[in-house]
């Protein structure tokens, strides 16, 4: 190829190269913008604004205050406990490193046969514990307590021998009968003593331990040093086939029958060192847990802890302080930050929803009044049966019941439950009407006749066609019931030979109701396709109406229908507010940027 040819070829490709370069530059620019935008959102979560709802910001301070109201007490208790452990570690010169924490997490994950990331993800999904929370609030305190009590934990030869015998020593295979009443236990025991061969039957008929009763009283082999020494001594005192005396264990009366002796097992010499080490580790862990619990109780008793958060008088004299532990202060800001770390996403979701409702009320020129709040509390009390003898709501008893269910104050109950309900009602109540047609349909549904039918529910059309033809060719209730027992995939109709609860009108199953109320007694329906099921009905007749005159129940009916329509409208309104809102949640974005913690926070 000549120099001229090469030059011509390069010239021909130059536009393509230029476009490629431009594309690469564009991709890099887009990536930089995306990364920069993400970083801006992450930075926003660390700054004063955690979310913006329709251009209205929610500050980190507001989120902290809301989280503190709801979780401050629990979080402070945890912080106090960790501070007690940390103070004792500092006093003794003990340090738990991040590498030790990470190593313990790896060890625990391996014990469950999981990779570390998978284990941490499982904790977050199943128990709502973040990796950072797991490291700092569970693993670090546990390791610190272990280090603090390490000098108290030694495994003696006697402890090792007992543990070895409980795992590999001689055992007795037994049957057991457990009965809660002593008189009955003695009566059944007398029958077993008179005829030991009847023990299996007696266990099945009388034992109140369902697991062993189902297999004739058989229980796992009993070894020495496994649990209750009386049970073990009783088992080892029996010859094969013997029945023991009745003994009391807790609030139960039990007696045993020995089946056979099982000789001790002998691990191979190659496996013995590893087994010995496992046994020692298990004993050491158990003793360490007991010693750590004892030490922690001791630290709590000896500590001088002054809790200020939640005490109005103490808060005045100690502004900004949540607690004082042995002279060391924990600030309210620290507790609020910890509350945000643990519960920030959930609390922020509530704050966003509350802001949406405030905005909607402002736009509709409506306000939630104290009278509205009181009326809603009274309505809730009546709906849950808290009514005085004069028919009025017993709001005092209702509030007492609500507040006894957990660490919720009256103010939080109103703010989180009552106020949002009232706000939504104010937003939709003007559009709620109960028409004459609504009343007529509601009356028919609540008080009108029901269609009594037999039903077969099938999962595919071919089987439905086959069953329908069989039912048509043999038109009797008995044969239809046999078809239901054989073919129906719906448990109620299958187990009751087709009998199902009576069908009411306007109950929400239009196609089934239309067919049921168009039949006469003894008639067979067509095949009704609904969702992924195919239903065949056989009419047995109709019930008598509960009430004939709608005027008797009109007020009650109108109230119930209005309530139902109101609840539906409230749900739809809230969904609409969320769907049409412009919401930037910086906090959630920042939290999702880095989920897995590999070390605890600096101490």
């Amino acid at each position: 190829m000549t120099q001229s040819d090469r030059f011509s070829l390069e010239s021909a490709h130059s536009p393509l190269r230029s476009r490629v370069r431009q594309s690469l530059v564009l991709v890099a620019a887009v990536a930089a913008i995306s990364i920069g935008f993400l970083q801006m959102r992450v930075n926003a979560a660390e700054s004063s604004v955690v979310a913006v709802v329709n251009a209205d910001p929610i500050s980190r301070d507001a989120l902290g205050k809301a989280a503190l109201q709801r979780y401050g007490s629990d979080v402070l208790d945890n912080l106090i406990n960790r501070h007690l452990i940390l103070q004792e570690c500092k006093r003794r010169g003990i340090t738990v490193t991040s590498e030790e924490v990470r190593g313990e997490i790896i060890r625990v994950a391996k014990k469950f046969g999981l990779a570390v990331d998978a284990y941490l993800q499982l904790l977050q999904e199943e128990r709502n514990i973040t990796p950072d929370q797991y490291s700092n609030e569970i693993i670090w305190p546990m390791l610190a307590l272990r280090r603090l009590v390490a000098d108290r934990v030694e495994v003696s030869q006697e402890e090792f021998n007992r543990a070895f015998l409980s795992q590999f020593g001689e055992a007795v295979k037994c049957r057991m009968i457990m009965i809660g009443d002593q008189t009955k236990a003695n009566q059944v025991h007398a029958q077993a003593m008179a005829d030991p061969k009847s023990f299996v039957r007696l266990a099945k008929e009388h034992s109140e331990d369902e697991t062993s009763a189902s297999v004739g009283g058989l229980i796992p082999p009993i070894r020495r040093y496994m649990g209750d020494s009386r049970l073990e001594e009783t088992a080892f005192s029996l010859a094969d086939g013997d029945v023991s005396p009745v003994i009391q264990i807790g609030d139960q009366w039990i007696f045993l029958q020995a089946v056979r002796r099982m000789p001790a097992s002998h691990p191979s010499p190659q496996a013995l060192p590893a087994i010995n080490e496992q046994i020692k580790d298990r004993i050491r862990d158990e003793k360490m847990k007991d010693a750590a619990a004892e030490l922690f109780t001791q630290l709590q008793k000896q500590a001088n802890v002054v809790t200020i958060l939640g005490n109005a008088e103490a808060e005045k004299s100690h502004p900004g302080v949540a607690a004082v532990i042995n002279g060391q202060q924990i600030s309210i800001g620290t507790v609020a930050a910890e509350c945000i770390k643990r519960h920030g996403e959930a609390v922020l979701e509530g704050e966003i929803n509350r802001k949406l409702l405030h905005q909607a009320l402002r736009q509709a020129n409506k306000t939630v009044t104290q009278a509205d709040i009181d009326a809603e509390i009274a309505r809730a009390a009546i709906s849950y049966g808290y009514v005085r003898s004069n028919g009025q709501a017993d709001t005092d008893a209702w509030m007492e019941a609500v507040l006894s269910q957990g660490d919720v104050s009256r103010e939080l109950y109103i703010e989180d439950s009552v106020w949002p309900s009232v706000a939504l009602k104010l937003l939709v109540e003007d559009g709620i009407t109960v028409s004459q047609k609504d009343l007529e349909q509601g009356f028919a549904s609540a008080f009108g006749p029901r269609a009594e039918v037999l039903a077969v529910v099938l999962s595919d059309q071919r089987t439905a066609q086959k069953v329908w033809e069989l039912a048509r060719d043999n038109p009797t209730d008995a044969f239809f019931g046999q078809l239901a027992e054989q073919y129906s995939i719906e448990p109620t109709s299958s187990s009751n030979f087709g009998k199902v609860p009576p069908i009411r009108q306007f109950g929400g199953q239009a196609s089934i109701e239309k067919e049921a109320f168009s039949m006469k007694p003894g008639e067979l329906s067509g095949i009704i396709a609904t969702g992924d099921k195919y239903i065949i009905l056989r009419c047995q007749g109709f019930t008598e109406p509960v009430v004939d005159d709608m005027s008797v129940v009109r007020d009650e009916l109108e109230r119930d229908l209005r309530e139902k329509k109101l609840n539906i409208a409230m749900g739809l309104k809230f969904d609409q507010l969320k769907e049409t809102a412009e919401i930037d949640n910086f906090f959630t974005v920042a939290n999702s940027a880095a989920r897995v913690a590999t070390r605890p926070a600096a101490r």
Side-chain angles (χ1 to χ4, degrees):
M1 181 181 295
T2 66
Q3 184 72 23
S4 176
D5 293 335
R6 186 178 298 110
F7 177 80
S8 298
L9 186 62
E10 290 176 353
S11 298
H13 283 74
S14 59
L16 176 61
R17 291 178 179 177
S18 177
R19 287 196 298 272
V20 169
R21 283 196 299 270
Q22 291 173 359
S23 298
L24 290 174
V25 170
L26 181 60
V27 168
V30 170
I33 292 170
S34 299
I35 293 170
F37 180 68
L38 176 60
Q39 189 59 50
M40 287 172 61
R41 301 188 79 181
V42 170
N43 291 341
E46 298 298 327
S47 66
S48 61
V49 176
V50 291
V52 178
V53 183
N54 294 325
D56 192 0
I58 297 175
S59 69
R60 175 169 284 271
D61 286 344
L63 176 60
K65 183 179 178 181
L68 198 64
Q69 282 181 298
R70 289 156 180 81
Y71 300 104
S73 179
D74 289 341
V75 169
L76 179 59
D77 286 344
N78 185 275
L79 283 173
I80 289 172
N81 292 338
R82 279 193 280 161
H83 269 70
L84 288 174
I85 297 170
L86 182 59
Q87 286 177 350
E88 185 65 11
C89 285
K90 286 183 177 178
R91 189 180 73 81
R92 297 201 203 174
I94 291 173
T95 302
V96 177
T97 66
S98 60
E99 287 73 20
E100 290 174 308
V101 171
R102 177 69 175 175
E104 179 63 15
I105 294 174
I106 293 171
R107 189 186 72 81
V108 175
K110 282 184 177 179
K111 187 169 71 173
F112 291 103
L114 296 171
V116 172
D117 288 353
Y119 177 63
L120 293 174
Q121 183 176 354
L122 184 67
L123 282 174
Q124 185 148 6
E125 291 174 353
E126 298 294 328
R127 298 177 57 192
N128 196 30
I129 297 175
T130 66
D132 185 67
Q133 186 180 347
Y134 184 61
S135 298
N136 288 310
E137 298 176 24
I138 298 175
I139 297 298
W140 184 88
M142 179 185 69
L143 291 179
L145 284 169
R146 283 183 184 177
R147 293 282 295 278
L148 288 169
V149 301
D151 57 343
R152 306 185 192 181
V153 178
E154 291 183 4
V155 180
S156 69
Q157 188 61 44
E158 182 182 0
E159 289 171 330
F160 174 83
N161 291 342
R162 287 187 175 190
F164 190 90
L165 284 175
S166 72
Q167 188 170 346
F168 298 103
E170 183 184 17
V172 184
K173 192 172 184 63
C174 294
R175 297 183 188 275
M176 177 189 73
I177 293 177
M178 175 187 291
I179 299 174
D181 179 74
Q182 184 180 10
T183 302
K184 182 180 177 182
N186 289 334
Q187 291 171 351
V188 177
H189 178 257
Q191 297 178 51
M193 291 293 291
D195 181 13
K197 291 182 179 179
S198 68
F199 199 99
V200 172
R201 175 181 59 80
L202 292 171
K204 290 179 180 177
E205 293 177 357
H206 300 288
S207 182
E208 295 172 9
D209 179 57
E210 296 177 356
T211 302
S212 61
S214 64
V215 288
L218 279 176
I219 58 176
I222 297 175
R223 289 187 169 86
R224 295 189 187 278
Y225 311 116
M226 286 184 64
D228 194 297
S229 60
R230 292 173 301 159
L231 190 64
E232 294 164 8
E233 291 302 324
T234 299
F236 278 93
S237 69
L238 300 174
D240 292 357
D242 283 355
V243 176
S244 76
V246 178
I247 58 176
Q248 185 179 9
I249 304 291
D251 59 352
Q252 298 292 323
W253 301 87
I254 73 170
F255 52 96
L256 306 173
Q257 183 183 46
V259 177
R260 62 183 174 88
R261 287 289 179 101
M262 301 172 63
S265 56
H266 302 283
S268 67
Q270 295 82 2
L272 200 56
I275 290 172
N276 290 346
E277 194 58 35
Q278 288 173 359
I279 291 174
K280 288 178 182 178
D281 283 345
R282 186 171 68 247
I283 297 171
R284 196 178 292 112
D285 282 348
E286 290 172 358
K287 294 185 72 173
M288 199 167 283
K289 287 177 184 176
D290 293 340
E294 183 181 340
L295 171 64
F296 186 63
T297 301
Q298 181 183 343
L299 291 176
Q300 287 180 311
K301 288 180 179 179
Q302 294 175 348
N304 180 16
V305 178
V306 180
T307 302
I308 297 167
L309 183 67
N311 185 328
E313 290 301 317
E315 286 178 354
K316 290 179 183 177
S317 57
H318 295 78
V321 178
V324 181
I325 309 161
N326 296 324
Q328 183 178 354
Q329 293 183 349
I330 297 179
S331 70
I332 287 179
T334 298
V335 181
E338 193 73 14
C339 288
I340 291 175
K341 187 189 297 183
R342 289 199 210 176
H343 307 288
E345 289 190 29
V347 175
L348 181 56
E349 184 68 21
E351 293 302 295
I352 289 172
N353 294 340
R354 202 176 342 271
K355 190 166 284 289
L356 285 172
L357 292 174
H358 274 292
Q359 292 172 347
L361 286 171
R362 191 161 53 246
Q363 186 174 1
N365 198 25
K366 290 178 179 278
T367 305
V368 175
T369 66
Q370 185 59 49
D372 296 327
I373 295 292
D374 294 341
E376 177 61 17
I377 293 174
R379 184 205 63 78
I382 292 173
S383 68
Y384 282 94
Y386 287 82
V387 183
R388 300 182 189 276
S389 57
N390 60 2
Q392 297 299 309
D394 190 348
T395 55
D396 292 338
W398 166 242
M399 289 302 302
E400 184 179 348
V402 169
L403 301 182
S404 67
Q405 293 177 2
D407 297 329
V408 58
S409 65
R410 179 185 178 90
E411 292 72 21
L412 281 181
Y413 166 65
I414 291 173
E415 186 174 345
D416 291 346
S417 299
V418 180
W419 187 90
S421 181
V422 172
L424 279 168
K425 282 183 180 180
L426 288 175
L427 291 171
V428 301
E429 62 183 1
D430 293 342
I432 302 299
T433 58
V434 179
S435 66
Q436 183 63 27
K437 183 178 179 181
D438 292 332
L439 289 170
E440 291 170 357
Q441 291 184 352
F443 179 74
S445 178
F447 303 103
R450 263 80 162 153
E452 295 190 299
V453 299
L454 301 178
V456 182
V457 182
L458 295 312
S459 60
D460 64 274
Q461 190 169 11
R462 172 179 285 186
T463 306
Q465 187 65 42
K466 172 186 172 182
V467 171
W468 185 86
E469 290 173 2
L470 289 169
R472 181 193 60 184
D473 294 341
N474 194 340
T476 65
D477 286 354
F479 185 73
F480 193 93
Q482 293 174 8
L483 292 174
E485 182 186 34
Q486 182 177 355
Y487 291 101
S488 183
I489 63 171
E490 198 276 317
T492 301
S493 63
S494 176
S495 60
N496 294 324
F497 295 94
K499 191 67 178 176
V500 294
I503 298 171
R504 60 176 177 154
Q505 289 180 292
F506 309 109
Q509 304 178 85
S511 58
I512 297 175
E513 295 163 15
K514 180 180 179 182
E515 193 78 17
F517 282 89
S518 67
M519 293 190 294
K520 296 177 181 178
E523 285 188 348
L524 184 70
S525 74
I527 298 174
I528 309 166
T530 172
D532 58 348
K533 303 291 189 297
Y534 299 87
I535 302 172
I536 304 169
L537 305 177
R538 178 176 170 83
C539 182
Q540 292 187 303
F542 298 88
T543 64
E544 291 295 322
V546 178
V547 179
D548 291 321
D549 185 1
M550 186 170 71
S551 64
V552 176
V553 294
R554 184 184 182 96
D555 291 344
E556 177 188 350
L557 186 63
E558 187 169 1
R559 183 171 61 251
D560 289 345
L561 289 173
R562 180 177 177 79
E563 188 74 19
K564 289 177 182 177
K565 295 183 80 170
L566 192 60
N567 288 335
I568 293 171
M570 287 164 63
L572 293 174
K573 180 65 175 180
F574 186 65
D575 289 343
Q576 179 200 2
L577 290 176
K578 296 202 74 172
E579 288 170 3
T580 57
E582 293 184 6
I583 301 172
D584 281 315
N585 188 329
F586 304 124
F587 184 85
T588 300
V589 170
N591 279 5
S592 62
R595 285 286 186 182
V596 180
T598 57
R599 59 180 62 87
R603 300 186 181 280

